Amino acid sequence: MKHRPRPPEQNDLFRPRLVDMIDMRHELVTLAALIDW
């Protein structure tokens, strides 16, 4: 029997998302929004 690949959302079930860990009011986040990358 072949192993079925897991959907991406299942792999991250218990790992917090990066966007949930970042404080969007932090100075570096504000600075990054101002830079023309």
Side-chain angles (χ1 to χ4, degrees):
M1 183 178 263
K2 285 188 170 182
H3 175 69
R4 288 188 334 200
R6 293 182 185 166
E9 61 273 0
Q10 189 173 359
N11 290 336
D12 295 335
L13 183 62
F14 296 108
R15 186 169 45 178
R17 294 177 42 169
L18 182 60
V19 71
D20 294 332
M21 294 189 287
I22 296 176
D23 180 12
M24 298 306 285
R25 297 170 294 163
H26 192 276
E27 299 88 16
L28 292 177
V29 175
T30 307
L31 179 63
L34 295 174
I35 296 174
D36 182 21
W37 297 95

